[in-house]
């Protein structure tokens, strides 16, 4: 069976979306009172981002959002996932509200709704106000408090029109890439910083969820985790043990506290530390959620013995595997397995694929981008979602990463994930073949 034969697995209410994040697309880094974030500081530190790229201008979405929403409309997407830049709202992290910054998201949401596109909002996609970092950032419990207040402020302003809310995007990256490997802002390299940052980011998720619910009962609230299944390379006990430890690191570090209210014991074996935590904090972290956001890019095959870090990018690429321009193996089956496992071990919980997509080295030929590898990647993964739906998983939506090429963190503008090509010199947008393919797929699925 091919994807075309499985389109009936998608319910008519399925969310066919695209995703972006504030620092990756907005630019306008100092406009209208926006304060600096840790990513401004990090990207402006020599040697941290490839080619010295920064998000100062990015896709200039801050000024071109209306045009970009027109493009989304032309593709027929039903939903748009974006993130809010916390330092646009609170330039110092707390206290003084920046009305102009808030007004941008007000316009964005209204323009989406005018075009019949449903917004889904992420509160934190990595751009912590620098002022909060200077007070310890995610290692300081006060940041969790400030996050709750920020969440409530946004919900008071936008909650009448935005009904789906995501607290954090990929806290694993905040903790590990930001505090242990140092590849992401704030660029620290300490295991204890990583476990504590993870803990207070999770606590802030719980606090924000409570704050949002206290304000409005009609919001759908979730968290987005980057999850990557792990397969042993053979059935030996050593390989299975290695895979299960890697799974703790990749997945259970965040899934267990969010859904079960506890950290996996093996975390200490991997990271050399477990966070200091109280039962009361774990209760706050384990909030009933309306959905789990799943970001899926690849899976891992491990053999024993294996060092359990770092896990990303994914090692053990066999010569048989196709890989993306990030070097990540293309393993669509991992997505079906993951969705079924979440359903089995952490459910019942509605699932939303909040990111999936691929970087390739695109070429412009006569004004067109024939990105057939990306189309194959997307088709195989959307088929994997159809398979999970066919097997009973409750998947509500699929958000393609990304609407357009953008600032890919430590890789700057060198890696292109968009279905729309962006010329960073002229800001011209070109629909890649994958955009037209996605448009046709959505059209067929909804017909
Ligand atoms: C995810 C991030 C997203 C993007 C993709 C490629 O980890 O959430 O911002 O960079 O990877």
């Amino acid at each position: 069976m091919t994807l075309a034969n499985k389109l009936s697995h998608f319910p008519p209410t399925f969310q066919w979306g695209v995703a972006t994040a504030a620092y990756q697309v907005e630019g306008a880094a100092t406009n209208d009172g926006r304060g600096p974030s840790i990513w401004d500081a990090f990207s402006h530190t020599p040697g941290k981002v490839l080619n010295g790229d920064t998000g100062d201008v990015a896709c200039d979405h801050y000024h071109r959002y209306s045009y970009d929403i027109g493009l989304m409309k032309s593709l027929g997407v039903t939903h748009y996932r974006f993130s809010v830049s916390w330092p646009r709202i609170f330039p110092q992290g707390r206290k003084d509200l920046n009305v102009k910054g808030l007004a941008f998201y007000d316009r964005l949401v209204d323009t989406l709704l005018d075009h019949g596109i449903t917004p889904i909002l992420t509160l934190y996609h990595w751009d912590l106000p620098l002022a909060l970092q200077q007070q310890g950032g995610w290692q300081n419990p006060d940041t969790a408090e400030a996050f709750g207040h920020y969440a409530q402020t946004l919900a008071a302003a936008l909650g009448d029109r935005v009904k789906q809310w995501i607290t954090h995007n990929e806290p694993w990256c905040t903790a590990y890439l930001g505090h242990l490997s140092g590849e992401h802002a704030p660029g620290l390299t300490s295991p204890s910083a990583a476990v504590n940052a993870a803990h207070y980011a999770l606590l802030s998720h719980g606090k924000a969820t409570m704050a949002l619910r206290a304000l409005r009962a009609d919001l759908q609230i979730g968290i987005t985790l980057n999850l990557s299944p792990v397969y042993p390379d053979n059935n030996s006990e050593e390989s299975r043990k290695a895979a299960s430890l890697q799974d703790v690191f990749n997945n259970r570090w965040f899934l267990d506290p969010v859904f079960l209210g506890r950290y996996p014991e093996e975390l200490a074996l991997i990271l050399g530390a477990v966070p200091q935590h109280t039962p009361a904090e774990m209760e706050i972290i384990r909030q009933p959620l309306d959905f789990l956001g799943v970001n899926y890019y690849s899976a891992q095959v491990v053999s024993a013995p294996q060092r359990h870090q770092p896990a990303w990018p994914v090692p053990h690429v066999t010569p048989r595997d196709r890989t993306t321009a990030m070097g990540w193996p293309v393993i669509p089956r991992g997505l079906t397995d993951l969705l079924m496992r979440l359903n089995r071990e952490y459910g019942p919980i509605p699932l939303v694929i909040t990111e999936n997509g691929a970087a390739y080295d695109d070429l412009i030929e006569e004004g067109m981008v024939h990105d057939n590898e990306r189309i194959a990647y997307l088709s195989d993964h959307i088929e994997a979602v159809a398979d999970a739906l066919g097997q009973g998983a409750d998947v509500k939506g699929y958000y393609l990463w990304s609407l357009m090429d953008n600032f890919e963190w430590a890789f700057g503008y060198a890696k292109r994930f968009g279905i729309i090509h962006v010329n960073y010199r002229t800001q011209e947008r070109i629909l890649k073949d994958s955009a037209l393919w996605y448009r046709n797929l959505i059209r067929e699925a909804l017909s």
Side-chain angles (χ1 to χ4, degrees), residues 24 125-126 169-170 173 295 297 328 355 401 408-409 417:
Q24 296 180 274
H125 202 127
W126 307 351
N169 178 72
E170 304 188 350
C173 294
N295 289 358
Y297 289 94
W328 300 343
E355 285 180 30
W401 185 272
E408 179 46 36
W409 308 112
F417 274 88

Side-chain angles (χ1 to χ4, degrees), residues 19-22 24 81 125-126 169-170 172-173 177 184 224 226 295-297 312 326 328 354-359 401-402 406-411 415 417:
T20 66
Q24 296 180 274
R81 173 179 178 232
H125 202 127
W126 307 351
N169 178 72
E170 304 188 350
W172 184 95
C173 294
L177 299 177
H184 280 187
T224 280
N226 53 312
N295 289 358
Y296 178 82
Y297 289 94
W312 202 266
M326 301 297 282
W328 300 343
T354 40
E355 285 180 30
N356 174 247
W401 185 272
S402 177
N406 58 48
F407 177 82
E408 179 46 36
W409 308 112
F411 295 91
K415 300 292 177 201
F417 274 88

